[in-house]
Amino acid sequence: MNPDKIILKFEDVAEQVHGPVRRLVGFVRAKNMLGLFDAADLDANPRSAKAGAITQAIIQSIEDDPDIFPFKTKGILIGSAEYEPLQRNRYQLLFNSTAIEGILDGGHNMLAIGTYILSRVLDDEKALRKIKLWDDFKIAWTANRAAIGDIREELDFLVPVEILVPAAIDDEGVIAEFTSSLLEICAARNNNAELTLETKANQKGFYEEIKKSLPASVAGRIEWKKNMAGGDVKVRDIIALAWIPLSMVELPAKVKAPLPQNIYRNKGECAKLFDDLMDDDSVSRPQGGPIHELHNTAVGSAITILGDLPVLYDKIYAEFPKAYNRWGDFGRMKIVRIFDLAKKADKSGKYMRSQPETHFTEQPVKYRYPDGMIMPLVYGLKALLRSKDGKVEWATDPTKFIDRHLDEIAGAYKLVLEMSGYDPQKVGKNETSYKIAFSEFEKAFLREQAQAA
DNA sequence: TAGGCTACGTAGATGCGGAT
DNA sequence: ATCCGCATCTACGTAGCCTA
């Protein structure tokens, strides 16, 4: 929230106190919400809003019958740890920790109402339709802020607003209790709508270490929470990879590493298990608030290894076709698509017009093929890990190892593809593929060790 | 545990608007 | 007026979940 101090005027308001939480419910006229729009950055709302059918429906009902609009929507939920009641049903709210305070729920409503207000000052239908994410809206809002101020008086439809504040402002204990409840409340409010496990885990700070260990270029492309701007890679893809090094370290008793094939076929489970792992006291603890901090060195070392995996994944993705071509014809596989501008006229669908890129580092490659084809090979990298004093580390430089041995491994791996009838689903979902890939990496590694000795 | 189904994402095609 | 580029729509194929 910026500025972090706003005043909200209710038309009429009721107060309810229960436990550490004081709840202010009432209706606010849209014209009195402009300040909230200026300030809101929606950071605490775990599900970033996205324009779509829902926001369209909300805008419709504002236009059609503004009188019953306030009863058709749940409205907006705001959380703030510091507040001050003013005269005439006004409340001043102060936001200190933007991570958990601010708009907790109703991001869609905010976006819809905001877009509606914009539509009153903006005739440009196309520009309006371009607004999809909160960030888009915020830019348009700021650009047209002066014009909106001019029509302020026309905006007199009511919006239901609910504010959660501490029950007592001068009691430290109550405020602490309130803050820790906020995240829970936030999660619960969003539960009926979909709120992914990963989004919640991100709010708890479970992914902080991962963010640090990944190369900045990769970390920037990951969608840490839903509908994040610039998020092309899903968190679960990274978390799934995390289980490769994590399965090498000693885990808390209640957490079991997922089966190898589940890294591909059940990424949801991988994320769930990662959540369980980080939730364990021996791995991370909350640091004064909902944010957890990692203090388990074994898990820490695995996450450091994880930092290398996206780049290695891309390396295998980019180089496997060439390695395979020493033993067979990669392009002949039905599901493989080739980028070749010379074959532009070809209508068979075999050739692509736009150049495919690797998932994490966006390097241009010649072939596009499903992840399932090489997931077992990526898993095979586990053979190059060793544990030392309870931590995991690379036993050899993985990049150089791939340079040296990918060709021969591809030769043995060809069998896996043949047996599965070149069906990536079968390759990626079958446990045997992973066993073979692992043992091929292991064999190559051991042979190299023996020669060196 | 493995096959099957569904939903989502991606790529290509078509249509529209703007610029030359 | 024509061509190019962008955006939107549609169809297909894969990923991930569900069920037996």
Side-chain angles (χ1 to χ4, degrees), chain A residues 203-257:
Chain A
Q203 296 274 307
K204 284 190 264 183
F206 285 178
Y207 300 149
E208 289 310 310
E209 288 299 317
I210 299 178
K211 284 179 196 174
K212 275 184 238 159
S213 75
L214 290 169
S217 57
V218 178
R221 298 188 57 241
I222 296 172
E223 188 175 28
W224 297 108
K225 61 178 189 176
K226 221 157 180 279
N227 296 333
M228 203 179 96
D232 300 324
V233 180
K234 294 217 184 57
V235 207
R236 47 178 55 193
D237 294 343
I238 297 287
I239 303 305
L241 289 178
W243 283 104
I244 295 172
L246 276 174
S247 59
M248 296 287 291
V249 302
E250 200 175 318
L251 300 167
K254 64 166 186 167
V255 185
K256 237 177 78 206

Side-chain angles (χ1 to χ4, degrees), chain A residues 323-334:
Chain A
Y324 182 91
N325 275 335
R326 288 196 36 181
W327 316 91
D329 187 344
F330 192 74
R332 266 181 69 190
M333 278 185 251
K334 209 179 96 217

